[in-house]
């Protein structure tokens, strides 16, 4: 698939949209770390376009007390692919993840 040719204005708008999405994901991660948001609240927001694109591994690593090794272990136990995003979780994976992290 060829990359579309964008005008300078279209490119600037796309870059701004991407920047806003990264900022929103960063804010959600910060709120999750500080306890302002719970695991369930974030998983309930996965229908949101920006939140749904967050990788499951990044989401787990954001939690206090969890790092890369624990995130990989949990994802392996729950049979969640490394590339999976929050939006792509099935009902069983979602409930298992919620049970494991709560």
């Amino acid at each position: 698939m060829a990359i579309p040719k964008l005008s300078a204005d279209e490119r600037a708008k796309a870059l701004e949209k991407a920047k806003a999405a990264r900022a929103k994901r960063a804010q959600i991660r910060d709120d999750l770390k500080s306890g302002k948001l719970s695991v369930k609240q974030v998983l309930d927001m996965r229908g949101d376009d920006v939140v749904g694109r967050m990788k499951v591994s990044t989401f787990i690593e954001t939690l206090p007390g969890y790092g890369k090794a624990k995130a990989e272990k949990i994802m392996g136990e729950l049979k969640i692919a490394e590339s999976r995003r929050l939006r792509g979780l099935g009902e069983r994976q979602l409930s298992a993840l919620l049970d494991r992290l709560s």
Side-chain angles (χ1 to χ4, degrees):
M1 182 175 182
I3 297 174
K5 300 289 182 191
L6 300 176
S7 68
D9 187 44
E10 291 171 329
R11 181 169 167 75
K13 285 180 184 177
L15 289 171
E16 192 60 37
K17 184 178 175 183
K19 182 180 175 183
R22 286 191 303 273
K24 184 174 179 178
R25 280 192 292 271
Q27 182 61 48
I28 289 171
R29 286 192 311 269
D30 288 343
D31 289 348
L32 192 58
K33 278 182 193 174
S34 67
K36 291 180 185 175
L37 286 175
S38 69
V39 171
K40 181 162 177 26
Q41 288 173 317
V42 175
L43 290 176
D44 287 343
M45 294 184 334
R46 69 190 172 99
D48 180 89
D49 198 37
V50 174
V51 178
R53 290 186 178 169
M54 184 185 301
K55 284 192 168 189
V56 176
S57 59
T58 303
F59 169 70
I60 296 171
E61 290 171 22
T62 299
L63 297 169
Y66 289 86
K68 204 170 212 43
K70 280 187 182 178
E72 287 177 9
K73 181 181 175 187
I74 290 170
M75 290 180 66
E77 289 172 359
L78 301 178
K79 295 181 175 60
I80 299 174
E82 187 179 321
S83 61
R84 180 70 64 199
R85 302 200 181 256
L86 290 178
R87 177 186 295 145
L89 289 174
E91 287 303 316
R92 285 187 219 148
Q93 289 175 328
L94 184 63
S95 64
L97 184 62
L98 190 58
D99 288 343
R100 183 72 158 78
L101 298 177
S102 295

